[in-house]
């Protein structure tokens, strides 16, 4: 199973790496950088619906490396050079706090 995808591997499987970055499924992380810019990581979905001619081995969700996103200018696709296979998990966090009685 392939767990990392870059431009070279995408090309081997007949995928245009830049095309994968045209429409994100979700943002996995977003941290304020300064002014109207953020450090982000986003999720790309590779599925039969969107890529019917791609090897099924690539189907699933992939997370980008960290890149800078600006509300005014968007982002530079060249900042994203690797996708890593991910799955969605849930985590329950218990917090202790003091409450008045």
């Amino acid at each position: 199973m392939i767990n990392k995808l870059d431009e070279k591997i995408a090309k081997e499987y007949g995928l245009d790496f830049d095309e994968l970055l045209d429409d994100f499924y979700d943002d996995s992380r977003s941290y304020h950088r300064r002014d109207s810019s953020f450090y982000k990581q986003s999720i790309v979905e590779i599925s039969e619906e969107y890529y019917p001619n791609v090897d099924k081995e690539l189907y699933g969700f992939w997370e980008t490396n960290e890149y800078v996103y600006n509300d005014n200018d968007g982002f530079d696709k060249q900042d994203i050079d690797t996708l890593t296979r991910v799955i969605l998990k849930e985590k329950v966090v218990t917090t202790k706090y003091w409450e008045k009685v």
Side-chain angles (χ1 to χ4, degrees):
M1 175 184 278
I2 295 175
N3 291 323
K4 292 264 188 207
L5 189 60
D6 59 20
E7 192 167 356
K8 181 182 174 189
I9 296 171
K11 187 180 257 187
E12 289 174 14
Y13 281 89
L15 275 173
D16 180 348
F17 191 80
D18 282 351
E19 186 180 307
L20 292 172
L21 309 178
D22 285 342
D23 189 28
F24 293 126
Y25 179 82
D26 197 5
D27 289 328
S28 56
R29 294 188 179 98
S30 183
Y31 302 101
H32 187 255
R33 181 174 173 237
R34 66 171 182 252
D35 300 326
S36 61
S37 65
F38 298 84
Y39 292 109
K40 277 189 161 186
Q41 284 183 271
S42 298
I43 303 297
V44 172
E45 180 183 12
I46 300 176
S47 67
E48 188 172 15
E49 179 181 351
Y50 303 112
Y51 303 96
N53 299 323
V54 170
D55 190 328
K56 290 179 175 22
E57 181 180 7
L58 297 180
Y59 289 171
F61 295 96
W62 299 81
E63 183 177 54
T64 66
N65 56 284
E66 190 173 83
Y67 63 95
V68 176
Y69 176 85
N70 183 293
D71 283 339
N72 301 321
D73 302 323
F75 67 100
D76 185 350
K77 286 184 178 180
Q78 291 181 355
D79 290 343
I80 301 173
D81 58 9
T82 307
L83 299 176
T84 305
R85 188 183 295 273
V86 293
I87 58 172
L88 183 61
K89 295 245 180 170
E90 277 189 40
K91 182 181 357 180
V92 177
V93 178
T94 303
T95 305
K96 290 184 178 183
Y97 62 95
W98 295 97
E99 183 175 83
K100 293 180 183 174
V101 289

